[in-house]
Amino acid sequence: MAEAPPSPFLGVAGGESFVLGRIAQSLDGRIATPSGASRWIGGAEDLDHTHRLRASADAVLVGAATVAADDPRLTTRRVAGPSPVRVVLDPRRRLGTGFHVFQDGGPTLLCAAADGIAGDAHHGKAVVLAVPCRGGVFDLHALRDQLALRGLRRILVEGGGVTLSRFLAAGLLDRLHVTLAPLLLGDGIPAFALPPAATPAEAQRLAWTVHPLGGDLLLDIVFGTSAR
Ligand SMILES: NC(=O)c1ccc[n+]([C@@H]2O[C@H](COP(=O)([O-])OP(=O)(O)OC[C@H]3O[C@@H](n4cnc5c(N)ncnc54)[C@H](OP(=O)(O)O)[C@@H]3O)[C@@H](O)[C@H]2O)c1
């Protein structure tokens, strides 16, 4: 079991929400193959890092496609520490109730559109949270506030690419940890799905700190800091 690490969540002012995005991508920008296979893009140290982040988070959040593809547990297992509350974004409630996060009894919130589709108060053993939704897209600011009301302020967004990109586009990411693995998948599910920039000069340019992570690189991006 890996040692307890310094947490990127430490130092967050009490009462404020903090959203950390997390993804592991291949050198050619993919987080999974075309069939959705993503185990594993990064190495063992990358997995350890993810579990450290979970141990420091109040909530770990993923999109419906990640649950459908991976059936993840989203618990803290590779390091010592508590498991976060699982939050699944499934506006249309297209996921069945048989997935681990809905059956293993650990705390889970299933976020569904608050327009009548929310339906039952439970989904398997998970609690259904009705979230304002327009055109099938959640109001992520409202969701962040709903989670804060439940005491869930340190939020780890663990993917996939669509989910992470929507948080990024909404300006809700405070920090982003991207693992870059020396792997070429050729095709597959992209890490980011954002509106295109007309030219590099018009693109959002970020500042990062780069750390070796086993055979991979960890790109640590803090939003709100200036880039070159
Ligand atoms: N390499 C990695 O680090 C990593 C991490 C996680 C997942 N993955 C892989 O990534 C793949 C899935 O990624 P993905 O980008 O295709 O999908 P995803 O982000 O897992 O899920 C996207 C879906 O979640 C729902 N959703 C997400 N954000 C929403 C919002 N703001 N409002 C409303 N609904 C929202 C939508 O469901 P609806 O379609 O029902 O509208 C959306 O289509 C899987 O193959 C998984 O294995 C890799």
Side-chain angles (χ1 to χ4, degrees):
M1 191 169 281
E3 280 180 32
S7 163
F9 286 118
L10 292 180
V12 176
E16 297 279 313
S17 291
F18 190 93
V19 183
L20 173 65
R22 168 83 181 126
I23 209 88
Q25 68 165 64
S26 64
L27 184 60
D28 50 351
R30 308 293 175 176
I31 60 169
T33 65
S35 69
S38 64
R39 288 173 173 156
W40 299 105
I41 303 282
E45 292 83 355
D46 176 61
L47 292 173
D48 290 344
H49 183 63
T50 296
H51 282 241
R52 282 186 205 115
L53 295 176
R54 288 180 188 169
S56 311
D58 299 320
V60 57
L61 182 150
V62 296
T66 291
V67 173
D70 299 347
D71 193 11
R73 287 179 167 78
L74 301 173
T75 52
T76 303
R77 302 184 301 279
R78 296 176 68 96
V79 303
S83 292
V85 173
R86 287 85 57 96
V87 179
V88 177
L89 303 192
D90 183 12
R92 298 174 285 146
R93 291 189 69 174
R94 65 176 160 107
L95 295 172
T97 56
F99 294 99
H100 283 118
V101 290
F102 304 135
Q103 288 300 333
D104 66 11
T108 302
L109 297 172
L110 184 281
C111 297
D115 62 358
I117 302 171
D120 298 338
H122 288 90
H123 190 84
K125 294 177 181 170
V127 171
V128 175
L129 185 65
V131 178
C133 197
R134 179 179 290 188
V137 177
F138 287 129
D139 177 343
L140 293 177
H141 287 85
L143 172 60
R144 181 193 58 184
D145 294 346
Q146 284 176 289
L147 295 179
L149 283 174
R150 291 171 173 261
L152 307 176
R153 294 189 175 83
R154 298 168 188 214
I155 301 164
L156 176 62
V157 177
E158 245 191 70
V162 168
T163 301
L164 187 64
S165 298
R166 287 183 178 169
F167 272 87
L168 186 53
L172 276 171
L173 286 189
D174 294 293
R175 195 164 185 170
L176 178 58
H177 277 189
V178 177
T179 293
L180 185 60
L183 183 72
L184 293 167
L185 289 177
D187 195 1
I189 297 173
F192 299 99
L194 295 165
T199 65
E202 292 167 70
Q204 182 181 13
R205 190 174 288 276
L206 307 168
W208 63 28
T209 309
V210 181
H211 306 273
L213 192 63
D216 305 324
L217 291 178
L218 177 67
L219 314 178
D220 180 16
I221 296 158
V222 178
F223 290 91
T225 58
S226 59
R228 68 181 164 87

